Amino acid sequence: MSSGMITLSLRTVQQLRTEASIERVKISKASADLVRYCEQQTKSYPLLMGIPALETPFKDKKLCIIL
């Protein structure tokens, strides 16, 4: 093997060791946390709760009169 291949192999092994040492979160815990977060945010999310009629910026301020 050439020295370039050995260097590349050593870097690859080091990268794999680094990635293997990262602590992972189980999918079941991550999804449960995500569901809990979404349920907590529904009280303040306007698209789920709706915008009160007095506070909506999209409501026309004047009446439409057709002559």
Side-chain angles (χ1 to χ4, degrees):
M1 287 177 102
S2 68
S3 64
M5 290 293 289
I6 293 173
T7 304
L8 179 63
S9 297
L10 289 174
R11 271 193 275 175
T12 302
V13 168
Q14 182 60 36
Q15 179 65 32
L16 290 172
R17 285 182 179 155
T18 302
E19 290 177 14
S21 68
I22 295 173
E23 187 175 332
R24 309 253 192 257
V25 177
K26 293 191 179 221
I27 295 292
S28 57
K29 182 180 178 340
S31 60
D33 290 345
L34 182 60
V35 167
R36 186 172 34 259
Y37 173 79
C38 291
E39 288 172 347
Q40 290 172 350
Q41 299 302 315
T42 57
K43 298 175 183 106
S44 62
Y45 194 67
L47 294 178
L48 293 176
M49 299 305 294
I51 301 172
L54 298 174
E55 296 178 14
T56 181
F58 305 107
K59 185 176 179 182
D60 289 335
K61 304 287 186 224
K62 49 188 166 179
L63 297 172
C64 179
I65 300 174
I66 300 176
L67 298 175

